[in-house]
Protein backbone atom coordinates (compact mmCIF):
# COMPACT_ATOMS: atom_id res chain seq x y z
CA UNK A 1 0.00 0.00 0.00
CA UNK A 2 1.22 3.46 -0.81
CA UNK A 3 1.85 5.93 2.02
CA UNK A 4 -1.37 7.87 1.35
CA UNK A 5 -3.43 4.68 1.20
CA UNK A 6 -2.08 3.55 4.57
CA UNK A 7 -3.55 6.65 6.21
CA UNK A 8 -6.79 6.45 4.24
CA UNK A 9 -7.53 2.70 4.32
CA UNK A 10 -5.17 1.17 6.90
CA UNK A 11 -2.28 -1.28 6.47
CA UNK A 12 -4.24 -4.38 5.45
CA UNK A 13 -7.10 -2.80 3.52
CA UNK A 14 -8.34 -4.41 0.33
CA UNK A 15 -10.60 -2.89 -2.28
CA UNK A 16 -12.93 -5.38 -3.91
CA UNK A 17 -15.57 -4.77 -6.56
CA UNK A 18 -18.18 -7.49 -7.10
CA UNK A 19 -18.29 -8.72 -10.70
CA UNK A 20 -21.91 -7.65 -11.07
CA UNK A 21 -21.03 -4.08 -10.10
CA UNK A 22 -18.49 -3.59 -12.91
CA UNK A 23 -19.95 -1.54 -15.74
CA UNK A 24 -16.79 -1.07 -17.81
CA UNK A 25 -13.05 -1.54 -17.89
CA UNK A 26 -10.84 1.45 -18.64
CA UNK A 27 -7.54 0.32 -20.12
CA UNK A 28 -4.55 2.38 -21.21
CA UNK A 29 -1.60 0.70 -22.92
CA UNK A 30 1.84 1.12 -21.40
CA UNK A 31 4.57 2.67 -23.49
CA UNK A 32 8.24 3.43 -23.07
CA UNK A 33 7.32 6.82 -21.61
CA UNK A 34 4.06 6.07 -19.82
CA UNK A 35 2.72 3.51 -17.36
CA UNK A 36 -0.29 1.50 -18.45
CA UNK A 37 -3.45 1.54 -16.35
CA UNK A 38 -6.45 -0.69 -15.81
CA UNK A 39 -9.48 0.43 -13.87
CA UNK A 40 -12.67 -1.48 -13.13
CA UNK A 41 -15.46 1.11 -13.18
CA UNK A 42 -18.45 0.54 -10.92
CA UNK A 43 -21.91 1.31 -12.23
CA UNK A 44 -22.61 5.01 -11.73
CA UNK A 45 -19.03 5.90 -10.75
CA UNK A 46 -17.53 7.17 -14.02
CA UNK A 47 -14.86 9.85 -13.64
CA UNK A 48 -14.65 11.55 -17.02
CA UNK A 49 -11.45 13.53 -17.45
CA UNK A 50 -10.20 12.83 -13.94
CA UNK A 51 -7.38 10.58 -12.87
CA UNK A 52 -8.68 7.66 -10.84
CA UNK A 53 -6.60 6.97 -7.73
CA UNK A 54 -7.90 3.37 -7.72
CA UNK A 55 -6.57 2.44 -11.16
CA UNK A 56 -3.80 -0.16 -11.20
CA UNK A 57 -0.66 0.99 -12.99
CA UNK A 58 1.73 -1.36 -14.76
CA UNK A 59 4.98 -1.21 -16.70
CA UNK A 60 5.37 -2.06 -20.36
CA UNK A 61 6.89 -5.47 -19.62
CA UNK A 62 3.60 -6.48 -17.91
CA UNK A 63 1.39 -5.30 -20.80
CA UNK A 64 0.46 -8.81 -22.03
CA UNK A 65 -0.56 -9.99 -18.53
CA UNK A 66 -2.84 -6.98 -18.05
CA UNK A 67 -4.34 -7.41 -21.53
CA UNK A 68 -5.12 -11.02 -20.56
CA UNK A 69 -6.71 -9.77 -17.32
CA UNK A 70 -8.85 -7.32 -19.29
CA UNK A 71 -10.00 -10.01 -21.74
CA UNK A 72 -10.74 -12.48 -18.94
CA UNK A 73 -12.80 -9.81 -17.19
CA UNK A 74 -14.85 -9.27 -20.36
CA UNK A 75 -15.35 -13.04 -20.64
CA UNK A 76 -16.53 -13.31 -17.03
CA UNK A 77 -18.84 -10.30 -17.42
CA UNK A 78 -20.43 -11.91 -20.49
CA UNK A 79 -20.97 -15.18 -18.58
CA UNK A 80 -22.40 -13.26 -15.63
CA UNK A 81 -24.77 -11.39 -17.93
CA UNK A 82 -25.96 -14.65 -19.54
CA UNK A 83 -26.58 -16.25 -16.14
CA UNK A 84 -28.68 -13.29 -14.98
CA UNK A 85 -31.22 -13.84 -17.79
Amino acid sequence: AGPCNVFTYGLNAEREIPLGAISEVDFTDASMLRWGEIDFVRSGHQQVGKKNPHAVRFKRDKQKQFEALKEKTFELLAQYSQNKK
Side-chain angles (χ1 to χ4, degrees):
C4 294
N5 288 341
V6 170
F7 293 115
T8 305
Y9 302 109
L11 285 172
N12 297 317
E14 293 182 12
R15 179 171 165 81
E16 297 181 8
I17 301 173
L19 186 60
I22 297 173
S23 62
E24 63 185 270
V25 178
D26 286 337
F27 190 84
T28 305
D29 290 329
S31 70
M32 288 179 61
L33 303 175
R34 182 182 73 206
W35 289 71
E37 288 187 351
I38 190 168
D39 182 24
F40 302 98
V41 180
R42 294 184 72 168
S43 300
H45 287 90
Q46 177 128 12
Q47 293 184 324
V48 177
K50 294 182 180 178
K51 222 165 168 41
N52 186 344
H54 303 295
V56 176
R57 295 174 63 192
F58 56 91
K59 292 182 180 182
R60 189 171 158 199
D61 65 334
K62 301 294 183 192
Q63 176 81 24
K64 292 215 183 289
Q65 288 96 331
F66 278 90
E67 285 176 353
L69 173 62
K70 176 184 71 169
E71 293 305 318
K72 186 62 174 180
T73 302
F74 288 144
E75 180 184 318
L76 291 171
L77 286 171
Q79 288 175 7
Y80 180 81
S81 177
Q82 289 294 327
N83 290 337
K84 280 180 56 176
K85 293 181 181 179

